[in-house]
Amino acid sequence: MDLQVAGKAALVTGASKGIGFAIAAALAAEGARLVVNARDEEALAAAAERLRETGAEVHAVAGDVAQAKQVKALLARTKEAVGDPEILIANAGGPPTGTAAAIEDPAWAKGFELTLMSAVRLARGVLPAMRGAGWGRIVFVTSLSVKQPIANLTLSNAFRAGVTAFGRTLASEVAEHGVTVNSVAPGYTATERLDELFADDYARARLIATIPAKRFGEPAEIAAAVAFLCSGPAAYVTGQTLLVDGGVVGTTF
Ligand SMILES: NC(=O)c1ccc[n+]([C@@H]2O[C@H](COP(=O)([O-])OP(=O)(O)OC[C@H]3O[C@@H](n4cnc5c(N)ncnc54)[C@H](OP(=O)(O)O)[C@@H]3O)[C@@H](O)[C@H]2O)c1
């Protein structure tokens, strides 16, 4: 299938490694013109270089999406580099962990800025040009926790549900302008984030036993779903959450 994203300007945040990098690689392979973002400038430059080796046009813009001013600067530099983004992938690292009863206000505030407001600010920033052009694709990377809360990931559970509700609301507002807004909800995916969360072999083996596919997902498998939602053929899919979780969430809907 031709995804019809060749030549499109795309901004992928949280893209120096893991799922974000895989998404950038998938869009680069389809011929999108990319701006990739993460906080660590050196790691980001190395990631951009790896993407360029495939022949893609890739610009690296470092910045913290949890900070409003830096989001504004990122959007301005993206516009300079590739023009107004036609595709936005809002992704970042996960918020602090902790049980629901124990998490204190400062961590809640951090999770709010990192997980919810980064998505809101990025989407608001790209929307006017997408609406004006009559074409746009926004994809939020969330988590299976939006369907099934994960123990000890209270902030992820709470704020990703918020991102999902924000996206669903926005999707109806902008559908008539050719802009789609969807979420991809990864299950347990083999990245550094997963290594941090499930460091010992016993915990990993127990986790894998709960996954119907009996393995972790690969970042490229999440990226493939994202790339489809960014495509021309996905024009009539909006307001949705696509789980890519190896069957973990067992509900009918
Ligand atoms: N892996 C999983 O099993 C899994 C499952 C469900 C959901 N998720 C969610 O999917 C997202 C990506 O996960 P991942 O496993 O790919 O994580 P990862 O391997 O930790 O990669 C996170 C990426 O985001 C960047 N980043 C982190 N904080 C940022 C910020 N404030 N501003 C800009 N960039 C930032 C990181 O680079 P810098 O540190 O240099 O900024 C890195 O490039 C996370 O939100 C995670 O919670 C992951």
Side-chain angles (χ1 to χ4, degrees), residues 26 44 70-71 86 110 137 159 174 181 210 227:
L44 181 65
Q70 295 197 31
V71 169
E86 296 157 285
K110 203 171 166 185
R137 298 285 183 269
F159 288 123
V174 299
V181 184
T210 68

Side-chain angles (χ1 to χ4, degrees), residues 14-20 37-40 63-66 91-94 114 141-144 160 186-189 191-194:
S16 64
K17 60 186 177 188
I19 292 167
N37 151 271
R39 290 165 304 174
D40 181 328
D64 183 349
V65 296
N91 173 62
L114 172 65
V141 176
T142 60
S143 166
L144 67 76
R160 292 189 200 286
Y188 300 104
T189 311
T191 69
E192 283 181 31
R193 162 94 172 151
L194 194 75

Side-chain angles (χ1 to χ4, degrees), residues 97-120:
T97 58
T99 59
I103 293 183
E104 305 268 7
D105 286 10
W108 275 100
K110 203 171 166 185
F112 172 73
E113 295 293 336
L114 172 65
T115 304
L116 179 59
M117 288 314 294
S118 64
V120 171

